[in-house]
Amino acid sequence: MLLIAQNHLQLIVEMGLMLFVTLVFCLNLIPLSLSVVTFLSLFIIGGFTVIFGADILLLIISSSQAEFTHPFGPIALLGAVAALASLKVMKESGVDIRPLRRFVILFIIGITVFGGLMHRSFLLLWILGLFFGYLIISKSFREKSILTGRRILMFLGVAGIGFIFLEVLARVSGMTIFSPLLRLGRIEQYSLSSIKTVLNNIQLIGHSADASYWGAEGTAFAEGYITLPMQLVLFFGLPFPMFFGILVNQKDTIDYMLPGIFGYGFDFGYLGLIGLMVFVLGTILIGFKILTVYREKREKNNKKYLGREVLLTGALAAFSAQAVIGMFVFNRTINGMALLTFLFIGALILANVVSLKSRS
């Protein structure tokens, strides 16, 4: 009975621990050579190019879409950065990467276009993650001039062009769903009242019962504003409060209109928010420490960990970008199905800490 989660927060923690243990065994029992990781990264970005493209096609022809960019965008980002890191390792080894590089660039362009059309928040996540990936790869291979004014302007320019293109497309096609300005207008219209609700009712643990949709029947803590996918909760038959159907509008006041620091703070209190920050910062710092170890081994001509180094590079870029966007821009980037992705990538980074030694 002690292992059965009693609320949403316990389920999130338990799921994170289960993912961590699973990935520890996967990383140590499955041989992750550079060729295997390269193939997997190409498979991931190629697959998501098709999936995101099909999703935007459904939106155009039938106004129905699955919105895969929120839950799976960070996974696509992991694959893209891992593929770029693989190309860098192969180039250092004297391999002709030009044919493979064309495929990687094509897939990255495809995901940028299709994912950006679906969600502006994904476009931010994607460009920020590629930028983080570029910085990490540059540092890992000790390249000079990691940050230059030209490169920063290039990334900012790409983001600006993307948002202008989306706004023009929205006006020409009459499909306001593509409009970044519409999203900004909604934030301006609805976010202020949501911020006041959070700031006036947040407590050390949870929030004031008066601010809860459930009222006296609620727990004023872990009430489902921040949760794993509803299907997962229902699968385990857990009797947690959940927002579904028309009640989603009640959840959106916290989930859709605010950055994650407000959403996690409201549902879990100040202590929950501190716990989120410790998890994010700890995971990133540990990941970079391990990446440094892998780099030192590579520079000593030890090729055993090349696959892990490439995979960790992609995971760090994806996790960092998802954390920044989710915590400070758009709560839904680290909530629901996207929260499961966030836990998976974080567990993938932390799993590199553990090394299982086979018995001789």
Side-chain angles (χ1 to χ4, degrees), residues 78-235:
L78 187 160
V81 175
L84 292 173
S86 295
L87 293 178
K88 189 66 177 179
V89 173
M90 288 188 282
K91 184 179 180 180
E92 291 279 316
S93 302
V95 178
D96 183 9
I97 63 171
R98 286 176 295 180
L100 193 59
R101 187 173 182 272
R102 294 190 187 100
F103 281 103
V104 173
I105 297 300
L106 181 64
F107 289 145
I108 289 177
I109 292 174
I111 293 176
T112 303
V113 173
F114 299 141
L117 285 173
M118 182 59 66
H119 279 115
R120 277 64 65 202
S121 60
F122 169 79
L123 189 60
L124 281 175
L125 170 78
W126 183 251
I127 293 175
L128 183 64
L130 291 177
F131 184 65
F132 284 162
Y134 170 76
L135 293 179
I136 296 170
I137 293 172
S138 298
K139 182 175 177 60
S140 293
F141 288 88
R142 302 184 187 278
E143 293 183 344
K144 296 181 179 179
S145 301
I146 295 176
L147 276 176
T148 64
R150 181 181 177 182
R151 288 168 180 170
I152 293 175
L153 289 175
M154 180 182 69
F155 278 98
L156 293 177
V158 170
I161 292 172
F163 279 88
I164 292 173
F165 170 76
L166 286 173
E167 187 60 34
V168 172
L169 179 63
R171 293 177 183 272
V172 172
S173 65
M175 300 182 68
T176 56
I177 191 172
F178 292 138
S179 173
L181 294 181
L182 176 63
R183 167 64 178 163
L184 293 175
R186 286 177 177 174
I187 292 176
E188 181 181 5
Q189 182 178 359
Y190 297 109
S191 63
L192 184 59
S193 61
S194 297
I195 291 175
K196 288 181 178 178
T197 297
V198 172
L199 296 181
N200 292 334
N201 294 282
I202 186 174
Q203 297 180 352
L204 186 63
I205 298 177
H207 51 266
S208 171
D210 295 336
S212 171
Y213 169 78
W214 313 108
E217 297 179 358
T219 61
F221 173 76
E223 292 188 314
Y225 292 95
I226 304 297
T227 178
L228 290 171
M230 185 174 65
Q231 295 84 351
L232 185 66
V233 178
L234 295 175
F235 175 79

Side-chain angles (χ1 to χ4, degrees), residues 1-7 10-11 14 236 238-240:
M1 293 296 292
L2 293 177
L3 296 178
I4 299 177
Q6 302 300 309
N7 55 52
Q10 289 184 29
L11 180 62
E14 289 183 8
F236 288 111
L238 299 171
F240 299 162

Side-chain angles (χ1 to χ4, degrees), residues 142 291-302:
R142 302 184 187 278
L291 190 62
T292 300
V293 174
Y294 288 161
R295 181 187 66 190
E296 292 173 351
K297 291 182 180 295
R298 170 170 47 81
E299 291 175 344
K300 294 178 182 178
N301 205 29
N302 184 344

Side-chain angles (χ1 to χ4, degrees), residues 7-13 207 214 221-230 233 240-243 251-252 254-256 258-269 272-273 276 326-327 330-340 342-343:
N7 55 52
H8 286 289
L9 180 59
Q10 289 184 29
L11 180 62
I12 292 170
V13 173
H207 51 266
W214 313 108
F221 173 76
E223 292 188 314
Y225 292 95
I226 304 297
T227 178
L228 290 171
M230 185 174 65
V233 178
F240 299 162
M242 290 185 295
F243 296 90
K251 182 180 180 180
D252 279 350
I254 303 298
D255 179 45
Y256 189 70
L258 297 178
I261 55 173
F262 290 101
Y264 278 75
F266 182 78
D267 210 18
F268 305 135
L273 178 58
L276 172 66
M327 292 176 65
F330 192 43
N331 183 41
R332 196 164 290 182
T333 304
I334 51 173
N335 198 6
M337 187 66 189
L339 175 55
L340 189 61
F342 192 54
L343 292 175

Side-chain angles (χ1 to χ4, degrees), residues 54 97 162 170 173 208 281 287 299 309 312 328 350:
I97 63 171
S173 65
S208 171
L281 292 176
E299 291 175 344
E309 180 183 1
L312 181 57
F328 302 109
L350 296 175

